[in-house]
Amino acid sequence: MDTFNYYFALVFDGVAYGCIYGLFALTFVALFRANKIFNFAQTEVATLGVVLMLLLLKHMSFWSAMILTILASFAFGVLLHVTIMRFLTERRRGSHLSETIVTIGLFVIFNNISSYLIGDETQPFPSPFGSDVLSLFGVPVSKQSLGIIVASLLMTGCIFLVFRFTKLGLKFEAIAENADAARLRGIRVSNLLAVAWGITIMAGVFAALLIAPIQYVSPAMLISFFSYSLIAVVIGGLESPLGAIVGGIIVGVVDNLAANVSFIGSELRFLVIFALLLLVLLVRPRGLWGRAEARRV
Amino acid sequence: MTEIEPEKHKSKDLSKRRVGIGQRAAIYWDYVGKTATQTADQGILTLAQIFGAVASKVVALFAGLMAWSIDIDFFSIRKLPVNFLKMIVAIPLASLIFISSFFLVIVGGTLSGILGFRNFGEYSAKEQFLIWFPVFALLLAMPLLLSEYSLYRLSLVATYSIAVIGLDMLFGQCGIISLGQGGFLMTSGYMTIWLVNGTFGLKLPILIAISVGALLNGFVGLALGLPALRVKDHYLVIVSLALSIVIPKVFRSPLMAPYSGMKEGGLYISTLEVPSFLGKMPPYVWKYLIVIVPAMLLVVIAYNIIHHSQIGRAFRTLKCDREISSIIGIPVVRYKLFAFMLSAIYAGFAGGFFVILNEFMSPDSFNAYSSVDYLVATAIGGPGSILGSIFGGTFLAFQPDLTKLASDHMSGGKSLAQAVYGALLVITVLFAPRGIVGELTGRLKSKLTGLPRRGNFQMAPPPDYDWLNEKKQHFEMN
């Protein structure tokens, strides 16, 4: 029973981390479907959101600071699209190079702004869930992990409901399918893309706020999440939201199990994920849920 | 295709007009960047132009020789008393340097010829010699001019430039983004140290060790590119990012700790001796030469690959459009893989140079953020041009100084300065997509010649192609 509890706890924590990877991967996929670009600055914007909340906490209570941060991040995503990305994506000339490079530039900018705001030392972050251990059907699980899983699944569910059952979601689907045709049908593509940016940035900040109590706040707190969630995107399939979530959970569980095998350890666990990435690319390049598309060159 | 106004176009018919000095310079300029067909159309260089080109280079060289009596530091120039005895020694030395730089050009060109690229491309050995010679001669004469610290900085510039040129082969030429440069620098750096120290029982001379490390790096690149580049270019970004995160972690792990010197904080190179036949050459000059000579060769080879070979043309076609390249018969995946291998090999050489310069490597030397720096340097300098890459390399080499300057003057200045680099990247991509150097040379060229500037991805029509006239003739004939 003891070993079972041990491994169950490992898997459970892995699922908790995996939900965060999946949430980030979902934001990558959602934006890629709508706008056909990867926002490589996603995790760094999320770090900036955590830093903002840390600064706000000095002046107000936890929940009001959280709500304010979430709202601010939505506005920030809209602002990003309106001020910078719109000019790139709407004059597209057959190449995605400049957009990707700009998001990498934003990565550098936001990373350094958050290091300017809080310095390079790690800082603690208050947890809404507490740190004690709960007994679930006789198996001890940490309240923190349970809270992360529930909250991120709720967020995913909200995003799913919005995209599946509202008119807004239908319009996004139209844009993802064919932006030009959608524009001809009277959909305001640019405005909706701004909303898509707002939603994805908001979801990213939400995920970062969930993980901040475990990870502690520092400018580099999300760098591993950045790569893990991108790998989750590849494993799940480039355009599949479900694949992103499942890929994130696979990555999280494998990573957490590998870290506790004695000969792999905490440094080589990334090598296991790297091998997994190469394996998926070799065996099933389009990912688990990816659409088989016409052969591209 | 926009119409070209006949008025403007007529002025380009250089054979019918008297040309002034500016136009003459423009012809020379145009010649330097011209393709084979255009060269054939407009005939060869006149004697006067060759004379002008040579004369300007000779003047530049003499200026360099004069500067020998001045100790130029990068930030402060102070005059020393002219020493005539030194001058007498310097002149035969300088001629020796001239000859050796000539051989460098020949060797570089021939090497690229042997490697399967058309020998010297559109330019003969003599013409390339005219281009490279003054630069190389000045670089080889630098130990006479500069202090130890400045030489170190100059070789650092060369090292960064090689790494950026490697990334430019991929990003500037083919339009594929990679974040793996930091990881590649680290693998080849460690391989060089192991081969020089004989950690695994094999001890090699330093230059061979660097080359072996770089070639092994190329195979690492091949192994990674094979799964990633078959699908979409986005995958390569992800795989290369993962590489530059995983490599430092692997070297930090307990498995590799005995070989990576993790416990001592890093691995030191054991021997870096000046060979006995060089006599009493100071070690820092030897270090400089051992970096700068291979770096110059690499630049010549990169130039020949990019501008004068089928490979370079294929790369540029790939950047325009993958589908069209495949339709006209370019094996797309093969060329993408080749570009990634080349980029890994160049990064490998740069990693070896780093080890020579710092005599030290640790798992903290490079990380994912430093890989981003290389991409920033490439995009700012000018994707698709060697000069732009060298500008980017210089930027990288002096970036710590600028950052330190900022952090000395205000609190938190370090991160603010780095945020400004990111902002610089965004601004460059938005307003000058060809990078700073590309944009400046483009403007200068169009000012001199009166030709329209080339956009980022479009090709201009051949400068002497008369669209209107041809259409008129077509109608008159029918």
Side-chain angles (χ1 to χ4, degrees), chain B residues 20-326:
Chain B
I21 292 173
Q23 292 279 1
R24 203 177 288 278
I27 296 171
Y28 177 65
W29 179 278
D30 206 36
Y31 169 75
V32 171
K34 192 158 26 186
T35 63
T37 42
Q38 289 165 7
T39 320
D41 286 344
Q42 297 191 349
I44 54 163
L45 283 177
T46 64
L47 210 64
Q49 283 158 10
I50 292 181
F51 176 75
V54 175
S56 67
K57 263 97 208 192
V58 169
V59 168
L61 264 170
F62 269 101
L65 263 182
M66 294 305 277
W68 169 75
S69 56
I70 307 167
D71 186 23
I72 304 172
D73 214 328
F74 274 107
F75 288 113
S76 62
I77 299 174
R78 61 200 153 81
K79 244 185 142 107
L80 290 179
V82 177
N83 188 338
F84 286 103
L85 204 70
K86 261 174 149 186
M87 207 67 164
I88 293 165
V89 184
I91 288 165
L93 248 172
S95 44
L96 200 75
I97 288 164
F98 288 179
I99 296 166
S100 50
S101 64
F102 180 76
F103 277 110
L104 263 178
V105 178
I106 296 289
V107 170
T110 318
L111 215 63
S112 52
I114 291 168
L115 287 172
F117 319 125
R118 274 171 55 196
N119 200 356
F120 291 116
E122 283 85 22
Y123 300 138
S124 69
K126 198 178 87 186
E127 287 157 351
Q128 282 215 10
F129 173 65
L130 282 182
I131 300 170
W132 294 118
F133 167 74
V135 183
F136 287 2
L138 269 181
L139 280 178
L140 286 178
M142 277 302 157
L144 300 174
L145 307 177
L146 298 181
S147 63
E148 180 175 354
Y149 180 65
S150 306
L151 277 186
Y152 169 75
R153 300 306 296 270
L154 193 60
S155 25
L156 210 58
V157 168
T159 307
Y160 278 119
S161 300
I162 292 300
V164 174
I165 286 174
L167 189 55
D168 187 65
M169 294 257 188
L170 197 61
F171 168 59
Q173 300 299 322
C174 300
I176 304 168
I177 295 171
S178 156
L179 288 174
Q181 218 68 352
F184 282 130
L185 283 163
M186 183 169 276
T187 48
S188 74
Y190 268 118
M191 275 191 269
T192 307
I193 287 197
W194 289 336
L195 289 175
V196 171
N197 284 3
T199 311
F200 294 106
L202 183 64
K203 232 174 167 171
L204 292 176
I206 182 102
L207 277 175
I208 299 175
I210 294 178
S211 316
V212 170
L215 287 179
L216 286 177
N217 238 1
F219 286 110
V220 175
L222 185 68
L224 287 180
L226 217 50
L229 280 171
R230 272 192 317 163
V231 213
K232 264 186 187 174
D233 292 349
H234 294 295
Y235 287 107
L236 190 76
V237 188
I238 295 166
V239 169
S240 57
L241 172 79
L243 175 83
S244 59
I245 291 176
V246 81
I247 292 287
K249 281 185 192 275
V250 168
F251 282 119
R252 212 173 284 136
S253 69
L255 194 70
M256 295 296 286
Y259 308 111
S260 69
M262 192 51 210
K263 277 171 203 145
E264 303 86 48
L267 197 61
Y268 286 88
I269 203 159
S270 62
T271 52
L272 203 65
E273 285 162 3
V274 185
S276 52
F277 66 87
L278 284 172
K280 280 192 210 161
M281 179 185 266
Y284 70 88
V285 175
W286 167 242
K287 260 163 76 176
Y288 170 78
L289 287 180
I290 215 172
V291 169
I292 209 83
V293 173
M296 288 191 291
L297 273 181
L298 286 172
V299 169
V300 171
I301 292 173
Y303 180 80
N304 277 294
I305 291 175
I306 290 175
H307 293 291
H308 302 296
S309 76
Q310 196 185 356
I311 296 166
R313 281 198 297 280
F315 283 175
R316 283 192 291 282
T317 324
L318 274 184
K319 186 177 177 179
C320 288
D321 198 312
R322 299 287 146 73
E323 275 87 0
I324 289 174
S325 328
S326 139

Side-chain angles (χ1 to χ4, degrees), chain B residues 4-13 17 450 466 468:
Chain B
I4 296 169
E5 298 160 33
E7 298 288 317
K8 217 174 176 183
H9 194 69
K10 238 175 221 167
S11 68
K12 268 170 270 146
D13 196 357
R17 286 179 76 241
D466 196 344
L468 285 176

Side-chain angles (χ1 to χ4, degrees), chain A residues 10 24 29 37 46 51 62 87 105 114 152 202 225 239 275-276 285:
Chain A
L10 283 186
F24 275 121
V29 167
I37 62 171
V51 170
F62 184 87
F87 298 104
S114 41
S152 55
M202 188 180 73
F225 285 75
E239 297 205 6
L276 187 68

Side-chain angles (χ1 to χ4, degrees), chain A residues 105 111-112 115-116 234 281 297, chain B residues 230 235 369 412 415 418 425:
Chain A
N111 179 27
N112 285 300
S115 109
Y116 173 72
V234 176
L281 280 179
V297 282
Chain B
R230 272 192 317 163
Y235 287 107
Y369 290 113
S415 10
Q418 278 167 352
L425 174 68

